[in-house]
């Protein structure tokens, strides 16, 4: 199975790409699957893959997801449209997983929710609640209700257009944490855009070891305590050392999606060999 990893970080240092590649290598080693991958620097170098891959993983990234005239954005949305069209016209499907910034971009591009800037940054490890559809979706099978995930964003998808979603066969899988003391709508946290295309607002690729190493640096500790307070920092440190929090999410969501794509494509590979 050929995997295209779309780096949306605009040449800025990040942990997300390391975690995505780690997930691919973990599935490759544990499941003895024949996986290969190529990385495309979408925003930094205007690099966009063609349609000769089986699975596309599009990363999170910094900055605004609002519309621009940048060349990379035109190429990126052209690819997204081509993938949807391919899946409607071909038996051998293309699988796509969209993370955070990519989730926001595609949600806006498809016009299925209102994208807006938050009043304040959402940053930390938070509970994520599954909808009824999310409770039965294979991507989240094995996770409790609620489960915990890394959330880092200045923007949010709200007010879904349910008629438009229903027309395209999209379903909401997860919602933001319940905040009874806040009189604001809850953000969408995961959507199945089609049988083959899933996106999450949170970061399912984040691992506890890397995140713990990252947040123990003096620079990051000072930044978090200055912006969010010591209590938030202490809570995050405790969650990072709890195997039932992001370690569980990291082991289930993205690796599970890769395995599901590989299983779905396996019969097609056998048909190709027989032909």
């Amino acid at each position: 199975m050929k995997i295209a990893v779309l780096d949306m970080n605009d040449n800025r240092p990040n942990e997300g790409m390391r975690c995505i590649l780690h997930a691919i290598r973990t599935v490759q080693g544990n499941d003895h699957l024949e996986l290969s991958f190529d990385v495309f620097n979408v925003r930094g170098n205007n690099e966009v893959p063609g349609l000769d891959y089986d699975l596309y993983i599009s990363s999170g990234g910094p900055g605004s997801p609002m519309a621009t005239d940048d060349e990379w954005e035109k190429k990126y949305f052209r690819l997204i449209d081509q993938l949807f069209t391919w899946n409607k016209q071909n038996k051998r499907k293309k699988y796509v997983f969209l993370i955070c910034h990519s989730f926001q971009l595609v949600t806006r591009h498809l016009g299925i929710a209102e994208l807006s800037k938050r009043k304040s940054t959402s940053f930390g490890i938070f509970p994520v609640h599954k909808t009824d559809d999310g409770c039965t979706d294979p991507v989240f099978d094995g996770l409790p209700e609620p489960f915990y995930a890394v959330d880092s964003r200045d923007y949010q998808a709200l007010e879904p257009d349910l008629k438009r979603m229903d027309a395209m066969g999209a379903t909401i899988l997860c919602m933001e944490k319940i905040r009874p003391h806040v009189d604001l709508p809850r953000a969408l946290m995961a959507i199945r855009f089609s049988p083959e295309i899933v996106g999450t607002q949170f970061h399912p690729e984040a691992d506890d070891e890397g995140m713990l190493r990252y947040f123990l640096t003096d620079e990051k500790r000072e930044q978090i305590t200055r912006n969010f307070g010591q209590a938030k920092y202490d809570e995050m440190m405790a969650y990072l050392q709890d195997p039932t929090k992001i370690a569980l999410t990291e082991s289930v969501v993205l690796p599970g999606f890769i395995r599901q794509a590989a299983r779905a494509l396996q019969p097609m590979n056998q048909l190709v060999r027989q032909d």
Side-chain angles (χ1 to χ4, degrees), residues 6 39 56 70 96 98 137 146 156 163 190 205 225 228 239 247 255:
L6 281 64
V39 177
Y56 298 75
D70 293 343
V96 183
L98 306 159
D137 195 278
Q156 58 190 350
K163 287 186 178 180
E205 80 281 14
T225 55
F228 301 99
Y239 283 175

Side-chain angles (χ1 to χ4, degrees), residues 14-33:
N14 69 96
E15 287 285 310
M17 286 298 296
R18 177 190 62 79
C19 293
I20 290 170
L21 300 184
H22 175 70
I24 295 171
R25 294 186 179 110
T26 297
V27 173
Q28 184 178 37
N30 292 347
D31 295 61
H32 307 292
L33 295 174

Side-chain angles (χ1 to χ4, degrees), residues 207-217 237 240-241:
D207 65 353
D208 53 352
E209 180 181 347
M211 294 288 290
L212 186 61
R213 183 173 61 249
Y214 181 55
F215 289 131
L216 282 174
T217 63
M237 291 301 100
L240 286 171
Q241 298 173 74

Side-chain angles (χ1 to χ4, degrees), residues 5-8 11 38-50 71-72 75-76 79:
V5 181
L6 281 64
D7 181 350
M8 304 293 285
N11 290 327
D38 295 307
V39 177
F40 296 84
N41 187 346
V42 177
R43 295 171 68 187
N45 293 342
N46 287 332
E47 296 175 352
V48 174
E71 185 61 27
W72 71 262
K75 291 183 176 180
Y76 181 76
L79 172 65

